[in-house]
Amino acid sequence: MTTPSLTLSAIAEALGAAIEGDGSITVRRAVHPSEAEGPGDLALAMDRDLLALLPGSKAVAAVVSEGMELPDGVAGGTLGRIVVKRPRYAMAGLLDLFERPVHAEPGVSPQAYVAPDAVVAPDASIAPFAYIGPRARIGAGAVILPHVTVGADAVIGEGCLLHPGARIGERVEMGARCIIHPNAAVGNDGFSFVTPEPGSVESAKTTGRVVGTNVLIRRVNSIGTVVLGDDVEIGAGATIDRGTVTATRIGNGTKIDNLVQIGHNVQVGTNCMLCGHVGIAGSTEIGDRVVLAGKVGVADHVKIGSDAVVAANSGVGTDIPPKSVWMGYPAVPRTRAFEQYKGLARLKRLFADVAELKKRLTALDGGPVTAEAAERQD
Amino acid sequence: MTTPSLTLSAIAEALGAAIEGDGSITVRRAVHPSEAEGPGDLALAMDRDLLALLPGSKAVAAVVSEGMELPDGVAGGTLGRIVVKRPRYAMAGLLDLFERPVHAEPGVSPQAYVAPDAVVAPDASIAPFAYIGPRARIGAGAVILPHVTVGADAVIGEGCLLHPGARIGERVEMGARCIIHPNAAVGNDGFSFVTPEPGSVESAKTTGRVVGTNVLIRRVNSIGTVVLGDDVEIGAGATIDRGTVTATRIGNGTKIDNLVQIGHNVQVGTNCMLCGHVGIAGSTEIGDRVVLAGKVGVADHVKIGSDAVVAANSGVGTDIPPKSVWMGYPAVPRTRAFEQYKGLARLKRLFADVAELKKRLTALDGGPVTAEAAERQD
Amino acid sequence: MTTPSLTLSAIAEALGAAIEGDGSITVRRAVHPSEAEGPGDLALAMDRDLLALLPGSKAVAAVVSEGMELPDGVAGGTLGRIVVKRPRYAMAGLLDLFERPVHAEPGVSPQAYVAPDAVVAPDASIAPFAYIGPRARIGAGAVILPHVTVGADAVIGEGCLLHPGARIGERVEMGARCIIHPNAAVGNDGFSFVTPEPGSVESAKTTGRVVGTNVLIRRVNSIGTVVLGDDVEIGAGATIDRGTVTATRIGNGTKIDNLVQIGHNVQVGTNCMLCGHVGIAGSTEIGDRVVLAGKVGVADHVKIGSDAVVAANSGVGTDIPPKSVWMGYPAVPRTRAFEQYKGLARLKRLFADVAELKKRLTALDGGPVTAEAAERQD
């Protein structure tokens, strides 16, 4: 719980930032300017709103952004300042320095369950009420917090962090340094059922109408698993289903937010960001560095190209090319979606325009003002 | 498990309702009219459909709504009746009287884990397999059910009820009488990452195209926490991320439904109702008494004014003024959304109208019937 | 962990399929063609892409689809082949034969908690850290995996499988062979609150504006429960709230996917399929064999007829007739939705057309080219 003291100079060096004022000032905490309590507190003031709070802050030092004008009383004051270039990126560095790691006792708790044939690295930490199944392997430095379930034959890589209530299914494999957030469930059975004859969805897709009905439903077992690369994060309450025969795969560095659902057989590339409530149906392929904003839904068996960005709440039913920005329901390229929204907003006016044109035309040709003619065409 | 007997008079008094018939009748259960089994059963029949079931019910008494006509055989029968004014509100009172509280043993189970330096109020209840971390404080009368994790330094207020599988992160503070439903996770790490140079989302937002790519992604740690006020409820499977530097805050009396996601740094006011699958992205501010219906998504860094109501499935990308009703994707004021839907439904007709106008105009001026002229303008 | 050897003839017989080549070949695993390692491996190659991998596969046998042309080197090769008719259905049979059931020890683990008055069938399996509450009943052959909570008075039917972290609320009843996936929560309190006077939502619904405000919110307790039929599945992280007075009901054979939310008092029929992130608000009735695709939201108190299919991401606010296919937001019949999308895509052209008509009309009548006339009508 004791955080080390750091000098401003040391921090600036770690961030590649400049110093203004006394670089030998030491700090122990990084705080919001209004939450500073005195000596040891470094105020984070990298945007205009936070900067404005500095004159009233009790902090002894502050982190500010290059090129921003300091408020009166700060520029000339004794407050030490670290001056950074790209604030969001500097923030990542600062929060690494002042990280508050989760509590974990060394070794295996006597209140944990570890199967006799599980293999746990000597320096791993296994908390009370954690369950490690038969033949599971827990890598060096891994931290397994309370109430985690690691299924039989699962492999947890070096330095992984499994938060309380994470469920790791059987045979799941994860690389190094993965973080599984509370109550995430990785390696669940896929949602896969089949009817003896084509059922209602198959007929709706091919004919637009419901012909077959699902009087008999048969379960399709999943015998595959889930493979996570290195540095993958799975958000709180997120669910990743295992493959039917082979593996559902999530590539190195991909970050998955809370309550995301990934269906069976899905393949996700490296460094993707899938935001809260995203849902990806079975067998879909997501390239590298794809960003799906919150609540995006993606149909089964489609392909999203690398570096594509899909805006929040979109529903994707077709392939998306690489490096494109899509949005809407059904999702279309962003420029087309904007055109459609603009059109929608001007629709009322358009109806009035057409009514006016009719009147004027009728004054010329004596034809109908009402829509009768049009109706007959319906 | 034994529910106390109550006389109709006592119930009517508690509800501020009138009695018809014998007020000394005693009842032990409040039931659906068709599920009544005989003496002791009070039928809830406050709407027309339920009222119609009364003649066949075995209940000895019923709760009915003022001004509703009773079916034959009830009006003149011996059935005691409690007559209420606002049925939904009376229901709340009735269900308080006949509540069936969750089972909890007094004291700390020998099968729980309580850190030596945690502080547990003498009358709190800690179930088997609950985990209470270092320095956590559990308030008077709090009930911690099985498989709950309370992280280090967390503070659970008086009379809180934590359902099975609730995950309370480190340093989280909650006021009095909060209810955390099964498998909710409060105080998770925020979903926050940054690229050294502006990444694909930044370029998509500013230019509409993907210029930068996310080849390097750096994690932004969260060192803040979550603070819940008094009487807050967090639904089953809901997730609340902690603040980056300070706290994500949920105000007094706010109710959050199942599978809702609240991002880091979000500030929610008092008495809000956030329905199932709502998602709120980072740093957004929600006023007091805001209602977000099911599946509403709200972008990051926006502000929703007090008493605003947003209809189900809407996607909110901009600020919303107080006391307004919004809907749609992207969300707009309700009247405008209705106009748009009406316009959409009449679009087919409009196309036909315009085609007809073209024909008539061509008859006058001999110009083109096809859209060639228009095409050249594209 | 040892899978039985099966001859191709035995497999073909179980599937009602034909054999080509040597039916006495024995296999132990069903694998993706490119993951076959040699003797004992049966390659699943029932579509064109998988079939193309067969020539390079190390499998000793393959399952192929009737009528598909085999690639060179396979047709004439020594590889034994099982030839099936409806590949998806055959897959279900194959995966039953090669199922990899979850690990479970026989009997009650000494590290489980079973209330003294709970009733556990002799052949049920109760894992470490499972909690079985007072008077709960666990049926014959049921498997309760680690970290499961079974509340007081709950009834778990014969052959049910409860995955890690499943939360079964008090008084919940489930039939035979139900599967509850990891971290699903069944039997939670409903999300039900009421204001003394009509609140903001009631006024928004009736007047379109916010008149009342939710200064006081009163909780409506749920004293009902949840009843699941036979062969029901509840997906990972899904949440099912209990009824206010009676039961939320899910019919026989209905399958519910991950992260689905079912509100209090909802009635779902038999053999429905509710896909990932579906949300159903309180008191809604879903018929039999209804399919709701991913992310569909359904309002409270509506009725969806049997065999209806609703497309992904739709928002349903009204009743839907049986056997119909609906989509959109707000959801409408599929043909109308397609018309609307087509209209939206052609809107830009329509605006141009109308502008052109105006010009031509002005050339005839000398009237305004701008929309002034229309504007005055607004």
Side-chain angles (χ1 to χ4, degrees):
Chain A
M1 282 302 296
T2 53
T3 326
S5 271
L6 292 165
T7 63
L8 294 197
S9 304
I11 297 169
E13 197 187 328
L15 303 179
I19 287 275
E20 291 179 358
D22 180 0
S24 72
I25 293 171
T26 60
V27 291
R28 284 173 170 278
R29 298 197 311 168
V31 297
H32 187 276
S34 63
E35 292 184 356
E37 293 170 0
D41 281 353
L42 172 70
L44 303 176
M46 289 173 281
D47 70 30
R48 225 162 286 278
D49 293 347
L50 294 168
L51 209 56
L53 299 172
L54 271 192
S57 172
K58 292 184 178 155
V60 295
V63 186
V64 299
S65 295
E66 195 179 75
M68 277 199 181
E69 203 179 327
L70 297 177
D72 288 350
V74 173
T78 56
L79 202 72
R81 290 188 301 278
I82 296 169
V83 185
V84 302
K85 281 183 176 151
R86 183 162 154 73
R88 268 181 66 76
Y89 198 71
M91 186 66 123
L94 279 161
L95 293 174
D96 279 353
L97 293 172
F98 293 99
E99 198 194 345
R100 304 182 68 171
V102 72
H103 174 83
E105 304 274 343
V108 177
S109 163
Q111 278 165 280
Y113 174 93
V114 177
D117 50 359
V119 180
V120 176
D123 66 345
S125 163
I126 314 273
F129 311 135
Y131 171 96
I132 312 295
R135 296 170 305 279
R137 283 178 283 150
I138 311 294
V143 173
I144 314 288
L145 292 170
H147 302 118
V148 166
T149 322
V150 177
D153 300 293
V155 179
I156 310 297
E158 285 184 26
C160 285
L161 171 59
L162 276 55
H163 280 280
R167 311 292 165 209
I168 310 302
E170 301 198 343
R171 305 183 297 281
V172 167
E173 294 178 28
M174 62 182 80
R177 298 172 304 280
C178 291
I179 303 178
I180 313 296
H181 292 278
N183 289 342
V186 179
N188 321 296
D189 249 349
F191 189 73
S192 185
F193 303 92
V194 63
T195 52
E197 305 300 323
S200 63
V201 173
E202 285 169 90
S203 71
K205 279 190 182 164
T206 51
T207 70
R209 289 172 308 116
V210 172
V211 180
T213 82
N214 304 342
V215 173
L216 292 169
I217 298 181
R218 185 162 179 183
R219 177 166 222 276
V220 181
N221 280 316
S222 316
I223 63 173
T225 191
V226 175
V227 176
L228 309 181
D230 296 333
D231 301 298
V232 169
E233 294 201 26
I234 309 291
T239 58
I240 320 276
D241 285 352
R242 66 178 182 237
T244 310
V245 176
T246 62
T248 301
R249 283 173 197 276
I250 312 288
N252 292 342
T254 282
K255 316 300 185 189
I256 293 180
D257 197 2
N258 298 353
L259 298 173
V260 166
Q261 148 69 1
I262 309 281
H264 54 284
N265 301 330
V266 167
Q267 307 291 310
V268 180
T270 63
N271 276 19
C272 293
M273 290 202 248
L274 312 185
C275 300
H277 284 131
V278 158
I280 303 181
S283 302
T284 277
E285 294 175 33
I286 311 282
D288 298 326
R289 301 172 302 280
V290 169
V291 178
L292 304 182
K295 287 195 186 302
V296 167
V298 184
D300 56 296
H301 291 91
V302 306
K303 293 181 196 205
I304 299 191
S306 292
D307 297 302
V309 173
V310 182
N313 285 44
S314 300
V316 178
T318 55
D319 290 358
I320 292 187
K323 286 219 172 200
S324 51
V325 183
W326 280 46
M327 66 186 300
Y329 166 65
V332 293
R334 180 178 182 267
T335 42
R336 253 165 65 196
F338 275 170
E339 257 173 44
Q340 292 179 358
Y341 299 141
K342 217 169 53 182
L344 261 183
R346 289 170 54 201
L347 258 192
K348 190 185 173 184
R349 161 78 63 91
L350 186 65
F351 278 102
D353 274 10
V354 171
E356 178 65 18
L357 289 180
K358 268 192 218 172
K359 270 192 217 155
R360 287 169 57 188
L361 197 48
T362 297
L364 293 177
D365 72 359
V369 178
T370 65
E372 285 173 0
E375 269 176 316
R376 263 179 271 123
Q377 298 189 333
D378 278 1
Chain B
M1 283 301 295
T2 54
T3 327
S5 271
L6 291 166
T7 64
L8 294 197
S9 303
I11 296 169
E13 199 187 327
L15 303 180
I19 287 275
E20 290 179 359
D22 180 1
S24 70
I25 293 170
T26 60
V27 291
R28 283 174 171 280
R29 298 197 312 168
V31 297
H32 187 276
S34 63
E35 293 185 356
E37 293 170 0
D41 280 353
L42 173 68
L44 303 176
M46 289 174 282
D47 71 29
R48 226 163 285 277
D49 292 347
L50 294 168
L51 209 56
L53 300 173
L54 272 192
S57 173
K58 292 185 178 157
V60 295
V63 187
V64 299
S65 295
E66 196 179 73
M68 278 199 178
E69 204 178 326
L70 298 177
D72 290 350
V74 173
T78 56
L79 201 73
R81 291 187 300 278
I82 295 169
V83 184
V84 302
K85 281 182 176 152
R86 183 161 155 72
R88 267 181 67 75
Y89 198 70
M91 186 65 124
L94 280 162
L95 293 174
D96 279 354
L97 292 172
F98 293 98
E99 199 193 344
R100 304 182 69 172
V102 73
H103 175 83
E105 304 274 342
V108 176
S109 163
Q111 277 165 280
Y113 174 92
V114 178
D117 51 357
V119 180
V120 177
D123 64 345
S125 164
I126 315 274
F129 311 134
Y131 171 95
I132 313 294
R135 296 171 304 281
R137 283 179 283 150
I138 310 295
V143 173
I144 314 289
L145 292 170
H147 302 117
V148 166
T149 321
V150 176
D153 299 294
V155 179
I156 309 298
E158 286 183 25
C160 285
L161 171 58
L162 276 56
H163 280 280
R167 311 292 165 208
I168 310 300
E170 301 200 343
R171 305 184 296 283
V172 168
E173 294 178 27
M174 63 181 79
R177 297 172 305 278
C178 291
I179 303 179
I180 313 297
H181 292 277
N183 289 342
V186 179
N188 321 297
D189 249 349
F191 190 73
S192 186
F193 303 92
V194 62
T195 51
E197 304 301 324
S200 63
V201 173
E202 286 169 88
S203 73
K205 279 188 180 166
T206 51
T207 70
R209 289 173 308 116
V210 172
V211 180
T213 83
N214 305 340
V215 173
L216 292 170
I217 298 182
R218 184 160 179 185
R219 177 167 222 276
V220 181
N221 280 316
S222 316
I223 64 172
T225 190
V226 175
V227 176
L228 309 181
D230 296 331
D231 301 298
V232 169
E233 294 201 25
I234 308 292
T239 58
I240 321 275
D241 284 354
R242 65 178 184 238
T244 311
V245 176
T246 62
T248 301
R249 282 172 197 277
I250 313 288
N252 292 341
T254 282
K255 315 300 186 191
I256 292 178
D257 197 3
N258 298 353
L259 298 173
V260 167
Q261 147 69 0
I262 309 280
H264 55 282
N265 301 330
V266 167
Q267 308 291 308
V268 180
T270 62
N271 276 20
C272 292
M273 289 201 249
L274 313 184
C275 300
H277 283 131
V278 159
I280 303 181
S283 301
T284 278
E285 295 175 33
I286 311 281
D288 299 324
R289 300 172 303 279
V290 168
V291 178
L292 304 182
K295 287 197 187 299
V296 167
V298 184
D300 57 295
H301 291 91
V302 306
K303 293 182 195 203
I304 300 191
S306 292
D307 297 302
V309 173
V310 182
N313 284 44
S314 300
V316 177
T318 56
D319 291 357
I320 291 187
K323 286 217 170 200
S324 52
V325 184
W326 280 46
M327 68 186 297
Y329 166 65
V332 292
R334 181 178 182 267
T335 43
R336 255 165 65 198
F338 276 170
E339 260 171 42
Q340 292 179 0
Y341 298 141
K342 219 169 52 183
L344 262 182
R346 290 169 54 201
L347 259 191
K348 189 184 175 185
R349 161 80 62 91
L350 186 65
F351 278 104
D353 274 11
V354 170
E356 178 65 18
L357 288 180
K358 269 192 218 171
K359 270 193 216 153
R360 287 168 56 189
L361 196 49
T362 297
L364 293 177
D365 71 0
V369 178
T370 65
E372 285 173 0
E375 269 177 316
R376 264 177 271 123
Q377 296 188 336
D378 278 1
Chain C
M1 284 302 294
T2 52
T3 325
S5 272
L6 292 166
T7 63
L8 293 196
S9 303
I11 297 170
E13 198 188 327
L15 302 179
I19 287 275
E20 291 179 357
D22 180 0
S24 71
I25 293 172
T26 59
V27 291
R28 285 173 169 280
R29 298 198 311 167
V31 298
H32 187 276
S34 63
E35 293 184 356
E37 293 169 0
D41 281 352
L42 172 69
L44 302 177
M46 290 174 281
D47 70 29
R48 224 162 288 277
D49 292 347
L50 294 168
L51 209 57
L53 300 173
L54 272 192
S57 173
K58 293 185 178 155
V60 294
V63 186
V64 299
S65 296
E66 196 179 75
M68 279 199 179
E69 203 178 328
L70 298 176
D72 289 351
V74 173
T78 58
L79 201 72
R81 291 188 302 277
I82 296 170
V83 185
V84 302
K85 281 184 176 152
R86 182 162 156 72
R88 267 181 67 74
Y89 198 70
M91 186 64 124
L94 280 161
L95 293 174
D96 279 352
L97 293 172
F98 293 98
E99 199 193 344
R100 304 182 67 172
V102 72
H103 174 84
E105 304 275 341
V108 176
S109 162
Q111 277 166 282
Y113 173 93
V114 178
D117 50 358
V119 180
V120 177
D123 64 345
S125 163
I126 314 273
F129 310 135
Y131 172 97
I132 312 294
R135 296 171 305 280
R137 282 179 284 152
I138 311 295
V143 173
I144 315 287
L145 293 170
H147 301 118
V148 166
T149 321
V150 177
D153 300 295
V155 179
I156 309 298
E158 286 184 27
C160 285
L161 171 58
L162 276 55
H163 280 281
R167 312 293 166 206
I168 310 301
E170 301 199 344
R171 305 184 297 283
V172 167
E173 294 178 27
M174 62 181 79
R177 297 172 305 277
C178 291
I179 303 179
I180 313 295
H181 292 278
N183 289 343
V186 180
N188 321 296
D189 249 349
F191 190 72
S192 185
F193 302 92
V194 62
T195 52
E197 305 300 324
S200 63
V201 173
E202 286 170 87
S203 72
K205 279 189 181 165
T206 51
T207 71
R209 290 171 308 118
V210 171
V211 181
T213 81
N214 304 342
V215 173
L216 292 169
I217 297 182
R218 185 162 178 182
R219 174 167 225 277
V220 181
N221 280 315
S222 315
I223 63 173
T225 190
V226 174
V227 176
L228 309 181
D230 296 333
D231 301 298
V232 169
E233 293 201 25
I234 309 290
T239 58
I240 320 275
D241 286 353
R242 66 177 183 238
T244 311
V245 175
T246 62
T248 302
R249 281 172 198 278
I250 312 289
N252 292 341
T254 282
K255 315 300 185 189
I256 293 179
D257 197 2
N258 297 354
L259 297 173
V260 167
Q261 148 68 2
I262 309 281
H264 55 282
N265 303 329
V266 167
Q267 308 291 309
V268 180
T270 62
N271 275 19
C272 293
M273 290 201 248
L274 313 184
C275 300
H277 283 132
V278 159
I280 303 182
S283 301
T284 278
E285 295 175 33
I286 311 281
D288 297 326
R289 299 173 302 278
V290 168
V291 178
L292 305 182
K295 286 197 188 299
V296 167
V298 184
D300 56 295
H301 291 91
V302 306
K303 293 181 196 203
I304 300 191
S306 291
D307 297 302
V309 173
V310 182
N313 284 44
S314 300
V316 178
T318 56
D319 291 357
I320 291 186
K323 286 217 171 200
S324 51
V325 184
W326 279 45
M327 69 185 298
Y329 168 65
V332 292
R334 180 179 182 266
T335 43
R336 255 164 65 196
F338 275 170
E339 258 173 43
Q340 292 180 0
Y341 299 141
K342 217 169 53 182
L344 262 182
R346 290 168 53 201
L347 258 191
K348 191 184 174 185
R349 160 79 63 91
L350 186 64
F351 278 102
D353 273 11
V354 170
E356 177 65 18
L357 288 180
K358 268 193 221 174
K359 268 191 219 155
R360 288 168 56 190
L361 196 49
T362 296
L364 293 177
D365 72 0
V369 178
T370 65
E372 284 174 0
E375 268 176 316
R376 265 181 269 124
Q377 297 190 333
D378 277 2

